[in-house]
Amino acid sequence: GIFTRHGTKDISELFEERVFDFPKPVALLEKVIEQSAVDGDIVLDFFAGSGSSAHAVMKRNAAAAGNIRFLTVQLPEPLDPNNRDQKTAVRFLEKLGKPLNIAELTKERLRRAGEKTRKENPDADLDTGFRVYKLTTSNLKPWQPDPDNLEASILDAVDNVLSDRSEDDLLVELLLKTGIDLTMPQETRVIAGRTVHALGGGALMVCLGNIGDEQAEDLGQGMADWVDGLDPAQTTVYFKDSGIGSDGNRAATKANLAAILRQRLG
């Protein structure tokens, strides 16, 4: 039989100490996945804990040359350094320089599980990579005009991106709002001094930086050259509207970029 102690053994082998109490046994979850999931399915675990379900997906894929994916959710529940039962986990995260919460343990477990699974199956065509996303509000400011000062409200809304958000934050929201899979292959290049993302083999091209008129020609031609090399069936291009014409020449920069891309990609 498979018992909870087997789950504890799984964790101890990965972390070399007991950072989780009573984790789910990987072998049991692997059997459940074997009986209920087929290639292309997604195993969803809303209470990831130590990440045993994702570990089991990796092992099942390795054993059966499968392509099952996992989606695990874990709140960043704080660990208490003064709690005797959590001291081992706290000490472990402090040693790694990580924030003291359970989600950080989950991520570290999956990194180690992936490495262990690949070592145990050196000949398997196995992808154990994963991406981590954190729930937050939109990157865009809501339209909340001040009726006593509409002019200031309008000027403030010209740049509608929150000041503490990065280009990566914007890229993720763009993918979510356009319904594009977050696991889509992604490449990044710097063209004309601006970061450009190519997703899905060039099906989507994104540049979210500030673009002056002096960069438009080189940027547009460089993006078109990259698309030519990738040769997708169709390409959609996104720019940050408030970033175009960062030198104050918005209309000319937009027109220049549009003309280049239309001519080269049309």
mmCIF file of all heavy atoms in Angstrom, residues 225-264:
data_model
loop_
_atom_site.group_PDB
_atom_site.id
_atom_site.type_symbol
_atom_site.label_atom_id
_atom_site.label_comp_id
_atom_site.label_asym_id
_atom_site.label_seq_id
_atom_site.Cartn_x
_atom_site.Cartn_y
_atom_site.Cartn_z
ATOM 1 N N ASP A 225 12.064 41.835 -40.402
ATOM 2 C CA ASP A 225 13.107 40.850 -40.734
ATOM 3 C C ASP A 225 12.963 39.604 -39.861
ATOM 4 O O ASP A 225 13.127 38.475 -40.344
ATOM 5 C CB ASP A 225 14.499 41.458 -40.519
ATOM 6 C CG ASP A 225 14.849 42.514 -41.555
ATOM 7 O OD1 ASP A 225 14.191 42.551 -42.607
ATOM 8 O OD2 ASP A 225 15.783 43.310 -41.292
ATOM 9 N N TRP A 226 12.677 39.826 -38.569
ATOM 10 C CA TRP A 226 12.529 38.699 -37.645
ATOM 11 C C TRP A 226 11.317 37.848 -38.040
ATOM 12 O O TRP A 226 11.396 36.623 -38.055
ATOM 13 C CB TRP A 226 12.407 39.215 -36.218
ATOM 14 C CG TRP A 226 12.563 38.168 -35.161
ATOM 15 C CD1 TRP A 226 12.968 36.865 -35.342
ATOM 16 C CD2 TRP A 226 12.356 38.317 -33.757
ATOM 17 N NE1 TRP A 226 13.015 36.194 -34.135
ATOM 18 C CE2 TRP A 226 12.641 37.067 -33.157
ATOM 19 C CE3 TRP A 226 11.954 39.384 -32.966
ATOM 20 C CZ2 TRP A 226 12.531 36.860 -31.782
ATOM 21 C CZ3 TRP A 226 11.854 39.184 -31.591
ATOM 22 C CH2 TRP A 226 12.131 37.933 -31.006
ATOM 23 N N VAL A 227 10.204 38.496 -38.350
ATOM 24 C CA VAL A 227 9.005 37.761 -38.773
ATOM 25 C C VAL A 227 9.295 36.955 -40.042
ATOM 26 O O VAL A 227 8.883 35.791 -40.161
ATOM 27 C CB VAL A 227 7.822 38.725 -39.010
ATOM 28 C CG1 VAL A 227 6.641 37.971 -39.627
ATOM 29 C CG2 VAL A 227 7.388 39.377 -37.696
ATOM 30 N N ASP A 228 10.030 37.545 -40.989
ATOM 31 C CA ASP A 228 10.393 36.821 -42.210
ATOM 32 C C ASP A 228 11.155 35.543 -41.883
ATOM 33 O O ASP A 228 10.939 34.493 -42.496
ATOM 34 C CB ASP A 228 11.245 37.705 -43.121
ATOM 35 C CG ASP A 228 10.426 38.758 -43.857
ATOM 36 O OD1 ASP A 228 9.181 38.637 -43.863
ATOM 37 O OD2 ASP A 228 11.026 39.700 -44.407
ATOM 38 N N GLY A 229 12.057 35.632 -40.903
ATOM 39 C CA GLY A 229 12.841 34.461 -40.515
ATOM 40 C C GLY A 229 12.006 33.395 -39.829
ATOM 41 O O GLY A 229 12.218 32.199 -40.019
ATOM 42 N N LEU A 230 11.043 33.837 -39.023
ATOM 43 C CA LEU A 230 10.175 32.891 -38.305
ATOM 44 C C LEU A 230 9.111 32.291 -39.225
ATOM 45 O O LEU A 230 8.678 31.158 -39.026
ATOM 46 C CB LEU A 230 9.497 33.605 -37.126
ATOM 47 C CG LEU A 230 10.445 34.066 -36.006
ATOM 48 C CD1 LEU A 230 9.707 34.992 -35.036
ATOM 49 C CD2 LEU A 230 11.032 32.875 -35.261
ATOM 50 N N ASP A 231 8.659 33.069 -40.198
ATOM 51 C CA ASP A 231 7.714 32.637 -41.232
ATOM 52 C C ASP A 231 6.409 32.052 -40.669
ATOM 53 O O ASP A 231 6.029 30.926 -41.002
ATOM 54 C CB ASP A 231 8.379 31.607 -42.152
ATOM 55 C CG ASP A 231 7.598 31.410 -43.444
ATOM 56 O OD1 ASP A 231 6.862 32.334 -43.847
ATOM 57 O OD2 ASP A 231 7.699 30.309 -44.035
ATOM 58 N N PRO A 232 5.697 32.814 -39.804
ATOM 59 C CA PRO A 232 4.393 32.332 -39.315
ATOM 60 C C PRO A 232 3.321 32.467 -40.401
ATOM 61 O O PRO A 232 3.503 33.226 -41.372
ATOM 62 C CB PRO A 232 4.094 33.276 -38.148
ATOM 63 C CG PRO A 232 4.767 34.554 -38.545
ATOM 64 C CD PRO A 232 6.011 34.159 -39.299
ATOM 65 N N ALA A 233 2.211 31.756 -40.244
ATOM 66 C CA ALA A 233 1.116 31.859 -41.214
ATOM 67 C C ALA A 233 0.500 33.253 -41.176
ATOM 68 O O ALA A 233 0.066 33.789 -42.202
ATOM 69 C CB ALA A 233 0.048 30.803 -40.914
ATOM 70 N N GLN A 234 0.457 33.846 -39.999
ATOM 71 C CA GLN A 234 -0.117 35.180 -39.823
ATOM 72 C C GLN A 234 0.518 35.837 -38.608
ATOM 73 O O GLN A 234 0.893 35.154 -37.655
ATOM 74 C CB GLN A 234 -1.636 35.081 -39.630
ATOM 75 C CG GLN A 234 -2.339 36.427 -39.516
ATOM 76 C CD GLN A 234 -3.851 36.262 -39.389
ATOM 77 O OE1 GLN A 234 -4.398 35.217 -39.710
ATOM 78 N NE2 GLN A 234 -4.516 37.290 -38.917
ATOM 79 N N THR A 235 0.666 37.154 -38.650
ATOM 80 C CA THR A 235 1.294 37.868 -37.534
ATOM 81 C C THR A 235 0.409 39.018 -37.068
ATOM 82 O O THR A 235 -0.122 39.774 -37.879
ATOM 83 C CB THR A 235 2.663 38.449 -37.951
ATOM 84 O OG1 THR A 235 3.531 37.381 -38.318
ATOM 85 C CG2 THR A 235 3.301 39.215 -36.799
ATOM 86 N N THR A 236 0.249 39.127 -35.740
ATOM 87 C CA THR A 236 -0.418 40.273 -35.125
ATOM 88 C C THR A 236 0.628 41.034 -34.318
ATOM 89 O O THR A 236 1.413 40.422 -33.580
ATOM 90 C CB THR A 236 -1.562 39.824 -34.199
ATOM 91 O OG1 THR A 236 -2.498 39.041 -34.949
ATOM 92 C CG2 THR A 236 -2.278 41.028 -33.603
ATOM 93 N N VAL A 237 0.654 42.358 -34.470
ATOM 94 C CA VAL A 237 1.668 43.186 -33.807
ATOM 95 C C VAL A 237 0.990 44.111 -32.800
ATOM 96 O O VAL A 237 -0.032 44.734 -33.115
ATOM 97 C CB VAL A 237 2.457 44.026 -34.831
ATOM 98 C CG1 VAL A 237 3.533 44.840 -34.131
ATOM 99 C CG2 VAL A 237 3.085 43.128 -35.898
ATOM 100 N N TYR A 238 1.554 44.173 -31.591
ATOM 101 C CA TYR A 238 1.032 45.067 -30.557
ATOM 102 C C TYR A 238 2.130 46.024 -30.088
ATOM 103 O O TYR A 238 3.277 45.622 -29.876
ATOM 104 C CB TYR A 238 0.554 44.266 -29.334
ATOM 105 C CG TYR A 238 -0.795 43.609 -29.484
ATOM 106 C CD1 TYR A 238 -0.897 42.290 -29.906
ATOM 107 C CD2 TYR A 238 -1.958 44.300 -29.191
ATOM 108 C CE1 TYR A 238 -2.132 41.672 -30.035
ATOM 109 C CE2 TYR A 238 -3.202 43.702 -29.312
ATOM 110 C CZ TYR A 238 -3.284 42.385 -29.739
ATOM 111 O OH TYR A 238 -4.511 41.787 -29.868
ATOM 112 N N PHE A 239 1.737 47.291 -29.919
ATOM 113 C CA PHE A 239 2.591 48.292 -29.289
ATOM 114 C C PHE A 239 1.825 48.927 -28.135
ATOM 115 O O PHE A 239 0.592 48.877 -28.100
ATOM 116 C CB PHE A 239 2.986 49.397 -30.279
ATOM 117 C CG PHE A 239 3.813 48.927 -31.439
ATOM 118 C CD1 PHE A 239 3.234 48.657 -32.661
ATOM 119 C CD2 PHE A 239 5.186 48.777 -31.300
ATOM 120 C CE1 PHE A 239 3.992 48.220 -33.737
ATOM 121 C CE2 PHE A 239 5.958 48.346 -32.371
ATOM 122 C CZ PHE A 239 5.351 48.067 -33.599
ATOM 123 N N LYS A 240 2.543 49.537 -27.195
ATOM 124 C CA LYS A 240 1.906 50.321 -26.140
ATOM 125 C C LYS A 240 1.608 51.700 -26.703
ATOM 126 O O LYS A 240 2.527 52.427 -27.106
ATOM 127 C CB LYS A 240 2.824 50.419 -24.907
ATOM 128 C CG LYS A 240 2.185 51.134 -23.731
ATOM 129 C CD LYS A 240 3.086 51.115 -22.501
ATOM 130 C CE LYS A 240 4.302 51.995 -22.685
ATOM 131 N NZ LYS A 240 5.091 52.156 -21.444
ATOM 132 N N ASP A 241 0.331 52.060 -26.754
ATOM 133 C CA ASP A 241 -0.069 53.296 -27.421
ATOM 134 C C ASP A 241 0.640 54.511 -26.828
ATOM 135 O O ASP A 241 1.129 55.377 -27.558
ATOM 136 C CB ASP A 241 -1.586 53.473 -27.328
ATOM 137 C CG ASP A 241 -2.076 54.656 -28.165
ATOM 138 O OD1 ASP A 241 -1.936 54.599 -29.396
ATOM 139 O OD2 ASP A 241 -2.577 55.631 -27.577
ATOM 140 N N SER A 242 0.722 54.567 -25.501
ATOM 141 C CA SER A 242 1.347 55.735 -24.868
ATOM 142 C C SER A 242 2.856 55.750 -25.066
ATOM 143 O O SER A 242 3.514 56.749 -24.799
ATOM 144 C CB SER A 242 1.015 55.768 -23.371
ATOM 145 O OG SER A 242 1.506 54.602 -22.721
ATOM 146 N N GLY A 243 3.438 54.631 -25.547
ATOM 147 C CA GLY A 243 4.881 54.582 -25.775
ATOM 148 C C GLY A 243 5.277 55.067 -27.151
ATOM 149 O O GLY A 243 6.423 55.450 -27.378
ATOM 150 N N ILE A 244 4.335 55.047 -28.089
ATOM 151 C CA ILE A 244 4.650 55.475 -29.456
ATOM 152 C C ILE A 244 4.744 57.005 -29.509
ATOM 153 O O ILE A 244 3.872 57.713 -29.018
ATOM 154 C CB ILE A 244 3.576 54.970 -30.439
ATOM 155 C CG1 ILE A 244 3.589 53.436 -30.481
ATOM 156 C CG2 ILE A 244 3.804 55.532 -31.826
ATOM 157 C CD1 ILE A 244 2.535 52.844 -31.372
ATOM 158 N N GLY A 245 5.827 57.489 -30.095
ATOM 159 C CA GLY A 245 6.008 58.937 -30.153
ATOM 160 C C GLY A 245 6.427 59.497 -28.820
ATOM 161 O O GLY A 245 5.968 60.569 -28.408
ATOM 162 N N SER A 246 7.328 58.781 -28.129
ATOM 163 C CA SER A 246 7.761 59.242 -26.804
ATOM 164 C C SER A 246 8.531 60.555 -26.882
ATOM 165 O O SER A 246 8.756 61.199 -25.860
ATOM 166 C CB SER A 246 8.630 58.163 -26.136
ATOM 167 O OG SER A 246 9.761 57.870 -26.939
ATOM 168 N N ASP A 247 8.945 60.945 -28.121
ATOM 169 C CA ASP A 247 9.635 62.219 -28.276
ATOM 170 C C ASP A 247 8.665 63.351 -28.617
ATOM 171 O O ASP A 247 9.064 64.437 -29.023
ATOM 172 C CB ASP A 247 10.698 62.116 -29.372
ATOM 173 C CG ASP A 247 10.135 61.601 -30.693
ATOM 174 O OD1 ASP A 247 8.913 61.314 -30.735
ATOM 175 O OD2 ASP A 247 10.905 61.458 -31.660
ATOM 176 N N GLY A 248 7.357 63.075 -28.463
ATOM 177 C CA GLY A 248 6.346 64.096 -28.710
ATOM 178 C C GLY A 248 5.805 64.106 -30.122
ATOM 179 O O GLY A 248 4.945 64.914 -30.459
ATOM 180 N N ASN A 249 6.280 63.163 -30.960
ATOM 181 C CA ASN A 249 5.870 63.138 -32.370
ATOM 182 C C ASN A 249 5.024 61.888 -32.622
ATOM 183 O O ASN A 249 5.353 61.066 -33.470
ATOM 184 C CB ASN A 249 7.118 63.135 -33.255
ATOM 185 C CG ASN A 249 6.842 63.721 -34.632
ATOM 186 O OD1 ASN A 249 5.716 64.116 -34.928
ATOM 187 N ND2 ASN A 249 7.868 63.759 -35.466
ATOM 188 N N ARG A 250 3.941 61.773 -31.890
ATOM 189 C CA ARG A 250 3.164 60.535 -31.889
ATOM 190 C C ARG A 250 2.572 60.200 -33.258
ATOM 191 O O ARG A 250 2.681 59.069 -33.731
ATOM 192 C CB ARG A 250 2.043 60.625 -30.844
ATOM 193 C CG ARG A 250 1.130 59.400 -30.842
ATOM 194 C CD ARG A 250 0.230 59.369 -29.639
ATOM 195 N NE ARG A 250 1.022 59.206 -28.428
ATOM 196 C CZ ARG A 250 0.482 59.038 -27.228
ATOM 197 N NH1 ARG A 250 -0.820 59.038 -27.085
ATOM 198 N NH2 ARG A 250 1.240 58.874 -26.168
ATOM 199 N N ALA A 251 1.944 61.154 -33.908
ATOM 200 C CA ALA A 251 1.262 60.879 -35.174
ATOM 201 C C ALA A 251 2.252 60.401 -36.232
ATOM 202 O O ALA A 251 1.994 59.427 -36.949
ATOM 203 C CB ALA A 251 0.520 62.121 -35.657
ATOM 204 N N ALA A 252 3.416 61.068 -36.322
ATOM 205 C CA ALA A 252 4.412 60.697 -37.326
ATOM 206 C C ALA A 252 4.994 59.312 -37.035
ATOM 207 O O ALA A 252 5.214 58.509 -37.946
ATOM 208 C CB ALA A 252 5.520 61.739 -37.370
ATOM 209 N N THR A 253 5.271 59.034 -35.751
ATOM 210 C CA THR A 253 5.847 57.740 -35.382
ATOM 211 C C THR A 253 4.873 56.610 -35.692
ATOM 212 O O THR A 253 5.266 55.571 -36.240
ATOM 213 C CB THR A 253 6.216 57.725 -33.881
ATOM 214 O OG1 THR A 253 7.028 58.850 -33.587
ATOM 215 C CG2 THR A 253 6.960 56.459 -33.524
ATOM 216 N N LYS A 254 3.605 56.814 -35.336
ATOM 217 C CA LYS A 254 2.582 55.800 -35.634
ATOM 218 C C LYS A 254 2.494 55.541 -37.130
ATOM 219 O O LYS A 254 2.468 54.389 -37.578
ATOM 220 C CB LYS A 254 1.212 56.261 -35.114
ATOM 221 C CG LYS A 254 0.903 55.895 -33.688
ATOM 222 C CD LYS A 254 -0.550 56.229 -33.381
ATOM 223 C CE LYS A 254 -0.902 55.809 -31.966
ATOM 224 N NZ LYS A 254 -2.324 56.080 -31.658
ATOM 225 N N ALA A 255 2.430 56.611 -37.892
ATOM 226 C CA ALA A 255 2.282 56.476 -39.343
ATOM 227 C C ALA A 255 3.479 55.763 -39.951
ATOM 228 O O ALA A 255 3.335 54.905 -40.834
ATOM 229 C CB ALA A 255 2.102 57.856 -39.970
ATOM 230 N N ASN A 256 4.670 56.103 -39.487
ATOM 231 C CA ASN A 256 5.893 55.503 -40.000
ATOM 232 C C ASN A 256 5.936 54.004 -39.703
ATOM 233 O O ASN A 256 6.189 53.175 -40.586
ATOM 234 C CB ASN A 256 7.106 56.207 -39.379
ATOM 235 C CG ASN A 256 8.386 55.952 -40.154
ATOM 236 O OD1 ASN A 256 8.384 55.325 -41.200
ATOM 237 N ND2 ASN A 256 9.489 56.457 -39.626
ATOM 238 N N LEU A 257 5.675 53.644 -38.442
ATOM 239 C CA LEU A 257 5.677 52.230 -38.051
ATOM 240 C C LEU A 257 4.630 51.442 -38.832
ATOM 241 O O LEU A 257 4.900 50.353 -39.350
ATOM 242 C CB LEU A 257 5.397 52.103 -36.552
ATOM 243 C CG LEU A 257 6.593 51.999 -35.607
ATOM 244 C CD1 LEU A 257 6.104 52.017 -34.167
ATOM 245 C CD2 LEU A 257 7.393 50.737 -35.872
ATOM 246 N N ALA A 258 3.428 51.991 -38.905
ATOM 247 C CA ALA A 258 2.331 51.295 -39.595
ATOM 248 C C ALA A 258 2.667 51.071 -41.062
ATOM 249 O O ALA A 258 2.419 49.991 -41.618
ATOM 250 C CB ALA A 258 1.043 52.097 -39.460
ATOM 251 N N ALA A 259 3.260 52.069 -41.694
ATOM 252 C CA ALA A 259 3.579 51.954 -43.115
ATOM 253 C C ALA A 259 4.631 50.874 -43.363
ATOM 254 O O ALA A 259 4.512 50.067 -44.296
ATOM 255 C CB ALA A 259 4.073 53.300 -43.634
ATOM 256 N N ILE A 260 5.647 50.853 -42.516
ATOM 257 C CA ILE A 260 6.718 49.851 -42.671
ATOM 258 C C ILE A 260 6.155 48.441 -42.494
ATOM 259 O O ILE A 260 6.398 47.543 -43.323
ATOM 260 C CB ILE A 260 7.847 50.106 -41.654
ATOM 261 C CG1 ILE A 260 8.558 51.414 -41.953
ATOM 262 C CG2 ILE A 260 8.852 48.947 -41.650
ATOM 263 C CD1 ILE A 260 9.445 51.896 -40.818
ATOM 264 N N LEU A 261 5.402 48.233 -41.423
ATOM 265 C CA LEU A 261 4.888 46.888 -41.132
ATOM 266 C C LEU A 261 3.866 46.447 -42.159
ATOM 267 O O LEU A 261 3.806 45.282 -42.553
ATOM 268 C CB LEU A 261 4.322 46.850 -39.717
ATOM 269 C CG LEU A 261 5.357 47.049 -38.606
ATOM 270 C CD1 LEU A 261 4.672 47.209 -37.248
ATOM 271 C CD2 LEU A 261 6.333 45.883 -38.567
ATOM 272 N N ARG A 262 3.038 47.397 -42.614
ATOM 273 C CA ARG A 262 2.028 47.050 -43.615
ATOM 274 C C ARG A 262 2.704 46.636 -44.925
ATOM 275 O O ARG A 262 2.295 45.681 -45.582
ATOM 276 C CB ARG A 262 1.104 48.259 -43.831
ATOM 277 C CG ARG A 262 -0.282 47.882 -44.355
ATOM 278 C CD ARG A 262 -1.201 49.102 -44.422
ATOM 279 N NE ARG A 262 -1.681 49.495 -43.109
ATOM 280 C CZ ARG A 262 -1.481 50.679 -42.552
ATOM 281 N NH1 ARG A 262 -0.795 51.611 -43.200
ATOM 282 N NH2 ARG A 262 -1.967 50.953 -41.368
ATOM 283 N N GLN A 263 3.747 47.373 -45.286
ATOM 284 C CA GLN A 263 4.450 47.073 -46.529
ATOM 285 C C GLN A 263 5.192 45.744 -46.451
ATOM 286 O O GLN A 263 5.167 44.957 -47.392
ATOM 287 C CB GLN A 263 5.442 48.205 -46.830
ATOM 288 C CG GLN A 263 6.239 47.994 -48.121
ATOM 289 C CD GLN A 263 7.279 49.079 -48.319
ATOM 290 O OE1 GLN A 263 7.780 49.645 -47.356
ATOM 291 N NE2 GLN A 263 7.598 49.376 -49.565
ATOM 292 N N ARG A 264 5.840 45.502 -45.315
ATOM 293 C CA ARG A 264 6.674 44.301 -45.189
ATOM 294 C C ARG A 264 5.876 43.056 -44.848
ATOM 295 O O ARG A 264 6.239 41.947 -45.267
ATOM 296 C CB ARG A 264 7.730 44.535 -44.105
ATOM 297 C CG ARG A 264 8.791 45.567 -44.426
ATOM 298 C CD ARG A 264 9.807 45.066 -45.442
ATOM 299 N NE ARG A 264 10.378 43.792 -45.064
ATOM 300 C CZ ARG A 264 11.404 43.612 -44.245
ATOM 301 N NH1 ARG A 264 12.020 44.697 -43.724
ATOM 302 N NH2 ARG A 264 11.883 42.428 -43.983
#
